[in-house]
Every structure is written in C-alpha cells, then in structure tokens.
Amino acid sequence: MMMLQDGSTQLLCLTASSGVPLFTRGASKQLPFSIIGSLNGVHMFGGGQGVVLSCSETEGGGKVVWRVFQDSVMLIAVSGGCNGKEDDIHLQRLLENVWNCMVLVLGQDELVNIRNVERLKRDLRSCFRLIDQLLEERQEGFLGNLTHCVDSLLPPNPALLQEVLDGFAQAADSEFGCLIVHGRIAAATEKWWRLAPQEVVLLSALIRSLSGSAFCDYPVFLPQGSPTVAHRLLRFQLLPGADVCVLCGPTPSLHRAQDQLVGCFWSPLVEALRDCLAVGERCLPRSVSLRPDVLALLLINRETRRSVSCVPTSTYHPLSGPLLSKARCWDLLKLFYIFTISRYFTKEETLCVSPEDSAERGNTEDFLIGFSHQPQQCYLVTEECKSYGLQTPQHQLFLLVLPSVPTFALRTVATQTLSDIVAATGF
C-alpha cells in the first residue's frame, strides 16, 4: 500500500534496544503506530538473523531506509515517492544529517547513554526546528544537506571582509569565526574551514534557524570534532541578512562581545556589507556574467568542499518564452547532481566518509565497470532542459541550460562558464 503521499518524507526516531518512539517529523499525515512498530520489528528480526536491513521498497512505490547510530538510536526515513538509487542517496544523507543535528544540539553522551526516555523526548524538541529544516524539500538555494559541501556566497570585496573577520574572532578569544550572508558563508577563518564539511553545513543551517534575534549565545557540540564537550556559538546580526558568528569557550560574555567588539570591528564595514548583501541569491559578484540561456548551476570546489549555486532570476527568455519556475529549476538541479554522482563522478570526501558514502561509491564503481576510463563529463537531454556535468581535479560543475542550446555546444558552454567564474573570483 502507499504509506505516504507521493514525494513526502517522514522521519521516525526510536530507541534501538527497545523500539520506544522518541519523535516523528515530516509528512502532515503521520504513520499509524502499528506501521511504526512493524518497521522497527522487521529491522530487529533481520538483526536477530544476522542480516542488516538498510532499505526496502514498498508495493505502492514508497521507500524505507533504516540506520542505527551508536547502537542507541534508530532513525527510519519513509518516502512516498521512489526514484531508485537517487532516492536512496537522498534518504541516507537525510538520516546522517539528522543524527549529526541531534549530536550538535544535545551532545553524543545524552544520545548514547539514555537514562530517562521521557526526559530525552523533551530534550529532543530543541532539535525540531533544525530537523524540520533538513526535511524541507523547498529550501531553494541551499544544497549543502545533499552535497555535504558548504553553501557559499562570493562577495565582491573578500579580502577586506576576511581581514576584519580574522581580527574580530581573535578579539573574541576564538579561532573559529564566519560571516553569514543570506544564509550562506561569505567569509570564514582558516580553522572554521578545517571543521568537517558536514559540521560546517549543519552549523550554517543552525545559524539560519536562529535568525530573527539581534544576538544569541547557543551551546553546540561538534559531531566529529567535539561530540561530548560543548562550545558556545555566539551570533550577532550586523545588518538584516548578515550575521557574524564565532565558536568560543567561557569568554567573552555575550554582552561584552556585543557592546565592545561588534561595533568596533564592523561599523566601518557597513557599505562593504551592503555590497555583499546586494549579491543576493545569485551568490556570484557582478564581475561574473552568466549566459542568458543558463537556467541553474552548482559549482563545487572539491579541495575546500565549498559550493556556490544559483538560479538566475529571469523567468522569461525573448526567444523561448516562459521559462521553468525557480522551484522547478532547483528540483532539476538536485536531481541532476544525484544522477551524476551516483553514476559517473566519484566523490573524494577526504573527511569523515560515512558507510553510506562508501557504499554509494561502490555502487558508482559497479556502474562504471563497463567503462575503460573514469568519466569526467556527462550530459542529459530532457524536454524541460539540457544538463551538463563537468569534473576537473579541483571542481565539479553541474549546469542546466535551455533546451534550445544545441547539444554539441553544451561542453563549450560548461567549460566557458567554469572558466569565467574561476577567473573572476578565484573560487
């Protein structure tokens, strides 16, 4: 039977040992308790027979993915729409992100050593806003949850912002600082970039979820670097849409940093910050000119694990008429990314490679057995658009263009787009 509406995803969290439900999030219509119990029971039965059940498809076209973390917490993702390997990758990434989110907010000890289930249920509510953000499929412009690369914005004046940010972080007794503009990282200290990519992605998501107040002091655990010892995340709003954050210890106090440091360092940069805000959802400075037939792009720096993505705001082309909606362009960009990495491109995640990523890489290698080489480029032609993927030692580019672009020209368009962005920004 079809358990959920097509395209919807529901997340279930249970204790691994006894199957006690801790929370459910996602689809508006929750699964009946009997089905939740059955999903847990079939996994436990498999474990008793020496079989690890990781995923299954239903007769109605849904997909279920299980994963147990630290022999303590079981996460189950149930999807109403089944897109084969693509859906598998998406759901596995979701489970990993949710677990890391829970560690980020509560710390690993509280999740591994469960002393009081009812208290844990209450504590987990503080994770719901961030978990709901991970489940939200319409987060246009934010792909880090899927790519495990940090959503970035390339400012027109990076050197000035970097110098001030480094000085601000040092004055706040921290080596970890970042400037967030429109929810994306515009500048960060060297140590911030050295955090595991998944940690930086989740910290960015957490900062977006905390927006709305002028400043805050929030305890966080780093899922890879410090899962049992909390740090303080200090966030200050500089301008609407622009926030500066640092990870620090007991000092400075929130009010000392707000009163003595923020204005001193950032007031002289108000115009530079406004120029940075003006870049907007495009994420690229005006020095980069995109072809008018580009519908969407995702550019990943494979060395730094950073990414920039955008859908140009134009919705009408003089020759082609109305274009795809922005939401549809983002959906197609995600699908093309998953299609490409699950079949053609390898992903060197040198930091914190998860079992799912290793299995995913194995699936890719199985698919590539028929090739005599490692593919570096691929393309896909559909009625809605044409897509081209390009991989170099340092970059991966995923490009969507109008169907009217000749197929033989796709490679030239992609290589020229990559060259223009790198030449203008050094990304």
Side-chain angles (χ1 to χ4, degrees), residues 8-253:
S8 61
T9 301
Q10 187 163 140
L11 177 74
L12 314 174
C13 179
L14 309 90
T15 59
S17 57
S18 56
V20 175
L22 297 175
F23 67 82
T24 63
R25 307 300 293 174
S28 56
K29 184 179 179 181
Q30 293 190 359
L31 294 173
F33 181 79
S34 58
I35 292 182
I36 296 176
S38 299
L39 293 175
N40 177 59
V42 71
H43 186 275
M44 293 183 64
F45 176 79
Q49 305 300 313
V51 176
V52 177
L53 179 61
S54 60
C55 65
S56 178
E57 295 180 9
T58 71
E59 292 182 357
K63 174 159 283 193
V64 184
V65 174
W66 293 261
R67 187 170 173 193
V68 175
F69 294 87
Q70 298 288 330
D71 295 324
S72 177
V73 171
M74 175 188 290
L75 291 175
I76 306 173
V78 184
S79 173
C82 183
N83 296 311
K85 187 184 295 185
E86 287 82 354
D87 216 28
D88 221 4
I89 294 172
H90 168 73
L91 295 177
Q92 291 286 6
R93 281 286 167 93
L94 173 64
L95 296 188
E96 184 178 358
N97 288 334
V98 169
W99 166 255
N100 284 331
C101 158
M102 293 160 62
V103 175
L104 183 79
V105 176
L106 298 181
Q108 187 171 284
D109 284 346
E110 187 168 347
L111 297 167
V112 173
N113 304 309
I114 301 176
R115 300 174 182 86
N116 186 312
V117 172
E118 293 304 316
R119 178 183 172 183
L120 179 59
K121 287 182 181 180
R122 290 193 299 270
D123 292 344
L124 282 169
R125 293 174 187 169
S126 58
C127 304
F128 286 174
R129 183 186 295 184
L130 187 52
I131 290 174
D132 291 345
Q133 190 182 134
L134 297 175
L135 282 166
E136 176 56 58
E137 294 299 327
R138 296 294 177 182
Q139 280 193 91
E140 296 179 9
F142 299 106
L143 303 177
N145 297 339
L146 177 64
T147 65
H148 279 178
C149 297
V150 183
D151 293 299
S152 304
L153 179 147
L154 305 184
N157 41 16
L160 177 61
L161 295 174
Q162 187 68 53
E163 180 182 357
V164 174
L165 176 64
D166 289 339
F168 175 75
Q170 185 177 6
D173 299 328
S174 174
E175 294 180 299
F176 300 88
C178 73
L179 175 66
I180 301 281
V181 176
H182 295 308
R184 304 168 181 85
I185 294 186
T189 61
E190 181 183 354
K191 286 291 184 70
W192 189 280
W193 289 127
R194 288 188 188 178
L195 296 172
Q198 297 93 322
E199 292 176 337
V200 182
V201 168
L202 283 179
L203 283 170
S204 299
L206 176 63
I207 293 165
R208 290 197 297 271
S209 74
L210 294 173
S211 62
S213 59
F215 50 84
C216 68
D217 185 341
Y218 197 89
V220 295
F221 299 81
L222 299 177
Q224 308 295 335
S226 181
T228 58
V229 178
H231 296 264
R232 294 168 64 218
L233 174 67
L234 304 185
R235 184 196 66 82
F236 306 94
Q237 184 182 77
L238 305 177
L239 291 172
D243 301 282
V244 66
C245 309
V246 292
L247 284 174
C248 61
T251 59
S253 69

